[in-house]
Amino acid sequence: MLEMSRPDLKSRLRQQEVFLLDGAMGTQLFARGVALGTCSDALNLESPEIVAEIHRAYLQAGSDAVITNTFGANRYALARHGHADKARQITQAGAELARQAAGDDKYVLGDIGPTGDFLEPLGSLKADELREAFAAQARGLLAGGVDGFIVETMTALDELAAAIEAVKSVRSGLPVLASMSFDKVANGYRTMMGVDVTSAVAKMVALGADAVGFNCGTATLEEYVALAQQYMAAARATGQDVIVFAEPNAGKPELADGEAVYKVAPDEFATAAERIRAGGVRVIGGCCGTAPAFIEAVAKRLK
Ligand SMILES: [Zn+2]
């Protein structure tokens, strides 16, 4: 048998008492002087050292896995920056950067985010072309050496399905984590497209996702803790042994000069993470506004 320096990601996710993902990439890029409106994904080719530095900072802070800088590296999102034909290069380079930083001991998740458009008839996307775009992204990530995939920040079930099916279609055998973005509404939580937690989890499980979660959104920390509990309940209701993960933002964004600003401190975030862990969620990271100091605070508290 082949000697591997790290157990496969799925068993680690299932067995490790607390498995830490990383924090935000986008807000960390801006913090390092990348201008708003820049194609973040193209930085994998144009400024790889900035991306690598962020990966290393999260690993030093205690992340067990880092997520590739390929959130918008599908050809629809890349087309808005004139890079539609570079999906393969950008995704592979993104995976290689994260792999180099993570070495043999830590894990790399290949990031697949939404296109920013909708499937027909609501939008202009055609289902087969959309699946092919996500599959191209998955192939690039796989070639760059990822340990698994994360389909994240989805708001529509049909686009979520297209992304998970596309990842499955490349037959890597690697696990896929699936995540949608929720906002707090009067009677619970909904994605921008009106999907509730129960429907999201049921769909992810039906599509064969290995872990189900939530990331981003506009909730407060308090509301993310409650959302995590709803996720656990929805996962149990499927009757299967489903892994749940949580990647809240650094609290509710406030607008300052048209920019989203996050004011929660690492310690407050760690307190929320502790409560999320107490509710049974063992795989935890952060989304927008979180930084290496947030992951470090969570690691100190939970590990
Ligand atoms: Zn986010």
Side-chain angles (χ1 to χ4, degrees):
M1 239 181 95
L2 203 68
E3 276 299 322
M4 296 272 293
S5 51
R6 57 185 184 282
D8 76 275
L9 176 61
K10 195 171 173 186
S11 25
R12 270 302 273 283
L13 287 172
R14 200 166 276 295
Q15 288 157 12
Q16 191 161 310
E17 194 48 38
V18 175
F19 188 97
L20 291 186
L21 302 171
D22 62 6
M25 173 59 75
T27 43
Q28 283 297 294
L29 289 170
F30 304 142
R32 284 166 175 76
V34 171
L36 272 172
T38 302
C39 179
S40 305
D41 307 273
L43 296 175
N44 295 339
L45 301 174
E46 292 160 5
S47 303
E49 192 42 44
I50 298 182
V51 178
E53 185 187 303
I54 295 169
H55 288 320
R56 287 194 298 266
Y58 279 122
L59 291 159
Q60 265 165 24
S63 294
D64 295 296
V66 287
I67 298 175
T68 59
N69 179 40
T70 56
F71 177 79
N74 61 76
R75 70 175 166 81
Y76 302 99
L78 289 176
R80 294 185 199 109
H81 299 279
H83 295 318
D85 55 340
K86 286 198 195 135
R88 171 62 188 237
Q89 271 170 284
I90 288 173
T91 48
Q92 184 167 340
E96 285 168 355
L97 280 173
R99 177 81 277 153
Q100 248 167 30
D104 288 335
D105 296 330
K106 304 291 180 172
Y107 295 85
V108 174
L109 283 169
D111 196 15
I112 297 180
T115 58
D117 193 354
F118 299 105
L119 276 153
E120 289 181 328
L122 199 56
S124 63
L125 302 175
K126 294 181 177 16
D128 52 344
E129 291 173 10
L130 177 62
R131 269 194 300 272
E132 181 40 42
F134 283 138
Q137 190 174 2
R139 283 191 290 269
L141 292 167
L142 188 60
V146 299
D147 299 293
F149 299 89
I150 181 165
V151 169
E152 64 159 344
T153 325
M154 292 289 169
T155 61
L157 286 178
D158 54 5
E159 187 171 15
L160 170 90
I164 297 175
E165 286 162 4
V167 171
K168 298 265 173 190
S169 76
V170 306
R171 299 184 173 280
S172 65
L174 298 176
V176 51
L177 288 67
S179 166
M180 297 189 96
S181 287
F182 289 87
D183 302 311
K184 180 77 176 76
V185 294
N187 54 345
Y189 297 87
R190 293 281 187 285
T191 71
M192 186 179 73
M193 301 307 290
V195 180
D196 64 23
V197 172
T198 308
S199 313
V201 169
K203 184 78 172 177
M204 291 167 181
V205 170
L207 289 162
D210 295 281
V212 303
F214 62 86
N215 75 294
C216 224
T218 57
T220 62
L221 284 180
E222 189 69 34
E223 289 163 350
Y224 284 122
V225 172
L227 174 58
Q229 285 159 1
Q230 284 204 13
Y231 248 82
M232 285 301 292
R236 281 190 207 103
T238 65
Q240 298 184 43
D241 185 12
V242 183
I243 301 167
V244 174
F245 67 98
E247 292 182 287
N249 282 347
K252 200 177 179 68
E254 292 170 37
L255 276 184
D257 297 329
E259 252 184 86
V261 179
Y262 297 87
K263 293 192 171 161
V264 159
D267 203 54
E268 296 169 75
F269 186 82
T271 300
E274 208 166 33
R275 293 175 62 200
I276 287 171
R277 172 67 192 94
V281 177
R282 292 181 299 99
V283 183
I284 300 174
C287 202
C288 299
T290 61
F294 288 64
I295 299 302
E296 197 176 352
V298 174
K300 280 203 179 116
R301 209 75 81 78
L302 293 183
K303 285 199 160 180

